[in-house]
Each structure stands twice: as structure tokens, then as C-alpha cells.
């Protein structure tokens, strides 16, 4: 076992420690003693009461496990806040250039920056702060309340007490005011009415007492905290307050029909209405979906939808990460939307008028009558008088481009639109006028003449000779005449072809293929063909 090395501040300290140990072994130096005055064996750790049997003091031991560093003097005190130690009368070298204190520099100065610092004015020198350093232990460094003065909490208690006192005073004033009004009414009505009022007041007081008791029981039940076991809210680690009054009927007891609204016992939720046919004015519970589609739940849903749509459109908005920002943007969106809606409405009303206003429309506008006299002929054309202006479209009309004198679509031919002025079917073409029309007609006539001339010049195709291909079939006509010489040559060629099929080495590299088969070649192929159904096929060759 090797001894662990101990860090020393210098080699001199290390040398002195070694000399001291050697002197203690030789008995020349006093041995170390603990708090009780007992001698400490340097080879036995402090947490050991006695040395084990296997420990040999003459050899390396467990000395490196000893707590050789002495404990510092830990303190429980804290910084003296705002304490001053010395007030100088003139500026000192190295002090703060702004206030003149020696305990900090100008960069760390907490005073207001002066127009001329204390270094140049030599006036209003700030006192030096009290600077303290503490060496805290492990717990002291991690104590959240270290240095906290409990007396500073007194002003919080005083503020709450003042609030409760003001509330009690206000309630007392309200009660006195009600008593004065009640006494004034009793004096004016008489004795009979006073007796009835006193009875009603007693009943009201009793009701108030009962209501106070009920409220107190509700508050006590609300303050009760129960543990949540196996719920969707987070398992048994969370807690929930019991918000249900025990006098209320449970959801699953409102309708005992098996086919009624489903009750989930795990989440204690019933989404549908258990009594859909009952009177809505008499129903106390209409299902959990009622709360989702009413009140602030609907607004929250709209807020979520707005956040999603805004995020999809590129805005940096997130409902869970920054809910305040999302709500503020949603409010701004609603304000802008209302402004735009009102602006659009005003624009439409300004242009077309408002039929709901109380202003009476002139009869001329209602009936379309006027004092203007216009004469028409039988065809409906205006003869005399001012002609009514035609209603204008929102599209541009009578706009002529590229030197055209008519608009696009004023001419139609062969399922194509064009310009009437030049009879062109290309939208962005330049107008050529009457000359263009004549050139187009001449080109059409020339094309027709060329087509007719080509049709007349082409000779009629010669009638195809009807070749009898009877030799291709299985039936051979009776009038078929074969040349013996050609048949002999065809038989030789057929034999050569069959020999080439059997021995591929005799096959030529360049093969000339001829698809014209004569009657003699067909007869030679039929004669050489092997008929598998022929019983004498083995005796042919």
C-alpha cells in the first residue's frame, strides 16, 4: 500500500513536516494529542478507535485518510448592510473619482454620476463602506435565509391588519346606514307595518345566519386537500381540492338508463347531457360539453385557434410559451378586425346608401320617372331627346392596342376569336388593315389550289395482284402446278438449312433473310417436315 501525497504550500513546509515525524519516531519530539489529551498514533485514522491486528506501524499505513486540514472558524454572522467606517475630508489617491470613497472605483460606484466628480471638486466626499469577508461552512453557503432579518416581515403583517380594520369599519358603516334607513321607514309607515317589518327582519337575520353557516361549511370543504390516485392529472403525486357539495346528486345518478350519457369513472366526466328531454329551466347539469361551449372556454378556444393560424402564417407566437403575448395579439387582431369591418360598412353605405335610414328617397329615383322628354321609333331607337348613358362595367372597354380599330373578340371564325379590323386570331398581333385581309385571302386561295393540283397529279395506285397463298395452308388447291426443276432446288436448299440447324458451326455470319416464299419452297418444306403422328416416320431417312 502506497501512501498518498499531501499538498504543502512550499518545500520548506514539507521538509519541516518530515523532520517532525522523524523526531517523534525517535522520541525527541512530543507526540500529537487530541482534545481529550490522548496520544494520537499517526498511522491510525481518527475515525478508528483502535488499530487493527493487521496494521504494522513500521510500514506504510492509512495516514493519508486522516483529516489533516484543520476546520476553519466558520461564522453565523452576516454583512452589516449600509455601515460606514471612515469619513474623509478631502480626496485621496486611488479613491472613487465620482464620490471619493476608497472602497470601490468609479465603475462600481452606486451614487448618481456627478457633473464634476469628487476628484476635481474635492467636496462632498462619501464615507468608506464597511467591507467584510466570511468563511461559511457547507450549510451556510446553501442557506437561502442566511442573513434574513425576521423583523422586516412586520410591515407585511401591519398592512394586512390595516386592510382588515378598514374592511370591518366599512361593514359597520354599511350596517349603521341600513339601520337608519329602516328606522326612517318604520316611523313613516306606522305601527302595523312596523310589526310586519320586524318579523321579516327576524326571518332575514335567520336566513343570513344560515347562509353564513353554509358558506363556512363550503369554505371548510374547499380548504380540504385530497390526494389524487390514478387519475389523468398526474397520478398519485398531485393533489386536488374537493369542490363538490355532498348534497348534490352525482352525475351517474341523474339518469339510471344504461343507454343514456356515458360516465367515465376514471376522469369523473360525463360529456353528454344525461337528461336531454327535460326542461332546460329546471336542469342543473347539462353535461361537461356545456362548459366547453360557453363562457370563457369558448374565448380560450378562439385564442388557441388564432395562435395556431398566426404561427402557420409565419408569426413568432406560441400559446404555451408566451400566453400573455398571444392574448395581447389576439386582442389587437379583434380591434383591427372591427375597425376594418366598420370601414368596409361605411364605404358600402357611402357608395350605395342605406335603406334603413329615415331619409326619404325622391319619387323620381323610386319610380324611375323624370321630366325629361325622349322620343323613340318603332325599333326602339332614340329620335329626339337625350339618350340615357349605358351602364359602365368595372372592366376597361373600347381600349384598342397595336393600332387595331376593334377590340379583341369582335370577330369569330373556325372556333377562334380575333380582331374584326384585320381578321387576325393572334391576341398580340399588329393590325395590318385591309391589306392584311387581302393577303390572308390570297394565301388561302393559293393553298387550296396547291392541294387540288397535288390531288389531281397523283396517279391512282395500281391494283394489288391477288397472290394465291394457298400453299401456306393445309389445303392445297387442285389447280396448283409446280415446276419440277424449282422443286428439286428447293429440296436441296431445305436439306442445307436443316444441316445448318443441327451444326451451328456451319451457320454463316451474315444471314440474308427473304420473306417471299414460293410454292415450290413451301412444297419442299412440307415434304421434309417430320410428322410426329406418322407411324412410319422412323423409316423415312
Amino acid at each position: 500500500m502506497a501512501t498518498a501525497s499531501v499538498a504543502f504550500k512550499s518545500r520548506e513546509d514539507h521538509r519541516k513536516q518530515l523532520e517532525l515525524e522523524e523526531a517523534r519516531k525517535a522520541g525527541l519530539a512530543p507526540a500529537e494529542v487530541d482534545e481529550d489529551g490522548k496520544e494520537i498514533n499517526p498511522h491510525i485514522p481518527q475515525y478508528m478507535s483502535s488499530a487493527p491486528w493487521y496494521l504494522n506501524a513500521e510500514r506504510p499505513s492509512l495516514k493519508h485518510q486522516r483529516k489533516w486540514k484543520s476546520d476553519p472558524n466558520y461564522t453565523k454572522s452576516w454583512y452589516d448592510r449600509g455601515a460606514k467606517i471612515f469619513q474623509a475630508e478631502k480626496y485621496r489617491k486611488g479613491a472613487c473619482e465620482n464620490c471619493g470613497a476608497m472602497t470601490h472605483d468609479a465603475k462600481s460606484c452606486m451614487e448618481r454620476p456627478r457633473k464634476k466628480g469628487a476628484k476635481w471638486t474635492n467636496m462632498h466626499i462619501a464615507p468608506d463602506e464597511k467591507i467584510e469577508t466570511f468563511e461559511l461552512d457547507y450549510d451556510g453557503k446553501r442557506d437561502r435565509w442566511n442573513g434574513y432579518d425576521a423583523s422586516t416581515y412586520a410591515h407585511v403583517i401591519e398592512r394586512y391588519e390595516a386592510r382588515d380594520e378598514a374592511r370591518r369599519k366599512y361593514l359597520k358603516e354599511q350596517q349603521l346606514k341600513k339601520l337608519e334607513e329602516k328606522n326612517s321607514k318604520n316611523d313613516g309607515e306606522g305601527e302595523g307595518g312596523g310589526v310586519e317589518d320586524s318579523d321579516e327582519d327576524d326571518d332575514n337575520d335567520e336566513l343570513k345566519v344560515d347562509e353564513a353557516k353554509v358558506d363556512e361549511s363550503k369554505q371548510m370543504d374547499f380548504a380540504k386537500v385530497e390526494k389524487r390516485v390514478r387519475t389523468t392529472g398526474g397520478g398519485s403525486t398531485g393533489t386536488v381540492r374537493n369542490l363538490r357539495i355532498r348534497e348534490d346528486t352525482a352525475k351517474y345518478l341523474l339518469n339510471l338508463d344504461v343507454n343514456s350519457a356515458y360516465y367515465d369513472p376514471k376522469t369523473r366526466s360525463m360529456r353528454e347531457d344525461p337528461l336531454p328531454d327535460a326542461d332546460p329551466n329546471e336542469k342543473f347539469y347539462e353535461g361537461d360539453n356545456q362548459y366547453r361551449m360557453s363562457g370563457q372556454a369558448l374565448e380560450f378556444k378562439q385564442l388557441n385557434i388564432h395562435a395556431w393560424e398566426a404561427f402557420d402564417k409565419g408569426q413568432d407566437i406560441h400559446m404555451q410559451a408566451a400566453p400573455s403575448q398571444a392574448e395581447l395579439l389576439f386582442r389587437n387582431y379583434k380591434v383591427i378586425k372591427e375597425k376594418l369591418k366598420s370601414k368596409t360598412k361605411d364605404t358600402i353605405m357611402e357608395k350605395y346608401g342605406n335603406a334603413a335610414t329615415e331619409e326619404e328617397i325622391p319619387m323620381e329615383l323610386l319610380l324611375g320617372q323624370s321630366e325629361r322628354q325622349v322620343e323613340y321609333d318603332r325599333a326602339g331607337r332614340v329620335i329626339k331627346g337625350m339618350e340615357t348613358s349605358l351602364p359602365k362595367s368595372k372592366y376597361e372597354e373600347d381600349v384598342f392596342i397595336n393600332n387595331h380599330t376593334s377590340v379583341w373578340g369582335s370577330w369569330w371564325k373556325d372556333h377562334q376569336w380575333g380582331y374584326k379590323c384585320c381578321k387576325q386570331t393572334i391576341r398580340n398581333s399588329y393590325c395590318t388593315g385591309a391589306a392584311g385581309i387581302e393577303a390572308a385571302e390570297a394565301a388561302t386561295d393559293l393553298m387550296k389550289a396547291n392541294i387540288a393540283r397535288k390531288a389531281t397529279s397523283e396517279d391512282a395506285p395500281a391494283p394489288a395482284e391477288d397472290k394465291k397463298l394457298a400453299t401456306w395452308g393445309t389445303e392445297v388447291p387442285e389447280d396448283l402446278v409446280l415446276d419440277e426443276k424449282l422443286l428439286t432446288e428447293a429440296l436441296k436448299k431445305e436439306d442445307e438449312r436443316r444441316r445448318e440447324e443441327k451444326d451451328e458451326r456451319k451457320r454463316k455470319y451474315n444471314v440474308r433473310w427473304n420473306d417471299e416464299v414460293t410454292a415450290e419452297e413451301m412444297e419442299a418444306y412440307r415434304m421434309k417436315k417430320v410428322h410426329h403422328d406418322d407411324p412410319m416416320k422412323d423409316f423415312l431417312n
Side-chain angles (χ1 to χ4, degrees):
M1 183 186 297
T3 57
S5 60
V6 181
F8 294 94
K9 294 183 180 180
S10 63
R11 294 183 178 180
E12 186 68 22
D13 296 339
H14 190 195
R15 186 181 61 79
K16 291 180 179 179
Q17 182 69 19
L18 293 176
E19 291 178 355
L20 182 59
E21 290 181 0
E22 292 177 358
R24 284 174 179 169
K25 288 180 182 179
L28 301 177
E32 286 186 281
V33 294
D34 56 6
E35 296 177 354
D36 299 333
K38 297 180 180 180
E39 184 178 347
I40 298 177
N41 189 345
H43 302 286
I44 301 176
Q46 288 186 4
Y47 57 83
M48 286 185 174
S49 59
S50 60
W53 58 270
Y54 54 81
L55 178 62
N56 189 355
E58 301 298 331
R59 294 183 180 181
S61 61
L62 300 176
K63 181 182 177 182
H64 59 280
Q65 295 185 2
R66 285 184 54 219
K67 191 176 180 182
W68 59 273
K69 185 178 179 181
S70 60
D71 294 337
N73 296 323
Y74 296 127
T75 179
K76 298 292 184 181
S77 59
W78 197 245
Y79 302 99
D80 192 2
R81 300 178 185 272
K84 309 296 181 181
I85 55 175
F86 178 71
Q87 175 73 47
E89 296 180 356
K90 61 180 181 178
Y91 182 78
R92 294 159 293 176
K93 185 178 180 180
C96 176
E97 297 179 358
N98 184 45
C99 65
M102 285 290 294
T103 51
H104 62 268
D105 54 359
K107 188 176 181 180
S108 305
C109 186
M110 300 300 293
E111 285 195 9
R112 178 181 60 83
R114 303 180 184 181
K115 188 174 182 180
K116 287 186 178 181
K119 181 179 179 181
W120 295 275
T121 59
N122 212 8
M123 296 173 59
H124 305 291
I125 305 297
D128 300 341
E129 295 91 353
K130 184 179 179 181
I131 298 178
E132 299 175 289
T133 55
F134 301 112
E135 190 173 0
L136 302 175
D137 55 356
Y138 182 85
D139 295 331
K141 293 178 182 178
R142 291 156 180 81
D143 188 5
R144 292 177 57 209
W145 301 96
N146 194 0
Y148 176 74
D149 187 6
S151 61
T152 57
Y153 192 73
H155 71 280
V156 180
I157 299 174
E158 292 175 0
R159 185 178 62 185
Y160 278 91
E161 289 179 352
R163 187 195 65 179
D164 295 340
E165 184 66 26
R167 182 181 296 173
R168 285 193 294 269
K169 186 177 180 182
Y170 174 75
L171 292 175
K172 190 173 183 180
E173 290 177 356
Q174 293 294 326
Q175 291 177 358
L176 292 175
K177 189 175 181 181
K178 289 181 180 179
L179 288 174
E180 290 178 359
E181 292 177 356
K182 197 179 296 181
N183 293 333
S184 61
K185 288 181 180 179
N186 292 337
D187 294 340
E189 291 179 359
E191 296 179 357
V195 173
E196 293 178 358
D197 292 341
S198 62
D199 295 338
E200 292 178 357
D201 294 341
D202 295 339
D203 295 339
N204 292 334
D205 294 338
E206 292 177 359
L207 290 174
K208 288 178 182 178
V209 172
D210 294 338
E211 290 175 357
K213 289 181 180 179
V214 172
D215 292 339
E216 186 178 357
S217 65
K218 286 182 181 179
Q219 291 177 0
M220 291 174 64
D221 195 19
F222 180 79
K224 185 179 179 182
V225 177
E226 297 180 354
K227 283 197 173 181
R228 207 163 36 192
V229 180
R230 293 182 183 176
T231 61
T232 57
S236 60
T237 57
T239 57
V240 65
R241 296 184 184 276
N242 187 9
L243 303 178
R244 185 174 69 85
I245 303 175
R246 297 299 178 182
E247 297 175 359
D248 296 340
T249 306
K251 300 176 185 178
Y252 51 84
L253 296 179
L254 294 174
N255 190 351
L256 301 179
D257 187 6
V258 180
N259 298 323
S260 62
Y262 174 71
Y263 175 76
D264 187 9
K266 188 174 183 179
T267 58
R268 299 179 183 178
S269 61
M270 182 181 287
R271 304 184 187 280
E272 300 179 5
D273 188 1
L275 300 171
D277 300 330
D279 186 7
N281 298 325
E282 297 179 358
K283 285 193 294 186
F284 176 75
Y285 179 73
E286 297 180 0
D288 294 340
N289 289 337
Q290 175 195 8
Y291 306 115
R292 297 185 178 184
M293 303 302 296
S294 62
Q296 294 182 349
L298 192 60
E299 297 178 1
F300 185 73
K301 185 187 295 184
Q302 294 175 355
L303 177 59
N304 273 321
I305 294 173
H306 172 263
W308 296 337
E309 292 178 350
F311 183 78
D312 291 338
K313 293 178 180 178
Q315 294 188 12
D316 189 9
I317 178 174
H318 197 281
M319 185 59 195
Q320 282 71 33
S324 302
Q325 179 191 7
E327 186 174 0
L328 182 60
L329 291 176
F330 182 57
R331 289 181 182 176
N332 296 338
Y333 165 75
K334 290 195 291 185
V335 171
I336 294 172
K337 185 178 179 181
E338 289 296 329
K339 287 183 180 180
L340 183 61
K341 188 176 180 181
S342 60
K343 185 178 179 181
T344 307
K345 182 179 178 182
D346 296 340
T347 305
I348 295 173
M349 291 176 62
E350 183 180 355
K351 185 175 182 179
Y352 300 101
N354 188 5
T357 56
E358 298 178 357
E359 298 179 0
E360 295 182 359
I361 303 176
M363 295 299 294
E364 293 82 2
L365 298 178
L366 287 174
L367 303 177
Q369 298 176 355
S370 63
E371 297 179 357
R372 185 177 54 195
Q373 184 178 0
V374 182
E375 294 182 6
Y376 299 91
D377 59 359
R378 292 183 179 181
R381 293 186 292 268
V382 178
I383 301 174
K384 185 180 179 182
M386 185 188 306
E387 187 177 1
T388 57
S389 60
L390 296 175
K392 292 185 178 181
S393 173
K394 65 179 180 178
Y395 303 101
E396 295 181 350
E397 296 182 357
D398 299 333
V399 177
F400 307 114
I401 61 173
N402 296 337
N403 203 28
H404 288 284
T405 57
S406 60
V407 296
W408 168 261
S410 59
W411 187 64
W412 169 266
K413 185 179 180 182
D414 297 337
H415 302 282
Q416 287 184 339
W417 294 103
Y419 294 99
K420 187 178 180 181
C421 56
C422 58
K423 294 185 180 181
Q424 294 194 60
T425 57
I426 300 175
R427 180 72 179 270
N428 295 325
S429 62
Y430 192 80
C431 183
T432 55
I437 297 174
E438 294 176 359
E441 291 177 354
T444 304
D445 296 340
L446 181 60
M447 182 178 64
K448 290 180 180 179
N450 292 335
I451 293 173
R453 186 173 65 254
K454 185 177 180 181
T456 55
S457 63
E458 289 180 354
D459 298 331
E465 297 180 358
D466 296 335
K467 294 183 179 180
K468 293 183 178 181
L469 302 176
T471 55
W472 286 95
T474 57
E475 297 179 1
V476 180
E478 297 178 356
D479 57 349
L480 181 63
V481 180
L482 300 175
D483 191 354
E484 294 294 335
K485 187 177 180 180
L486 296 177
L487 181 60
T488 305
E489 294 178 357
L491 290 172
K492 292 179 179 180
K493 290 181 180 179
E494 184 67 19
D495 292 337
E496 291 178 0
R497 189 182 65 81
R498 288 179 178 275
R499 282 195 298 270
E500 289 180 359
E501 287 182 356
K502 291 181 179 180
D503 190 2
E504 293 184 354
R505 293 177 296 177
K506 295 182 179 181
R507 182 178 297 176
K508 298 179 181 180
Y509 183 76
N510 295 323
V511 180
R512 294 182 181 180
W513 182 262
N514 188 8
D515 57 351
E516 294 181 2
V517 182
T518 60
E520 289 77 7
E521 293 175 353
M522 191 65 198
E523 183 65 21
Y525 172 74
R526 190 181 293 109
M527 292 171 65
K528 295 291 184 179
K529 184 180 179 181
V530 178
H531 299 279
H532 297 282
D533 297 335
D534 189 1
M536 300 298 291
K537 63 180 180 178
D538 296 332
F539 300 98
L540 292 177
N541 297 325

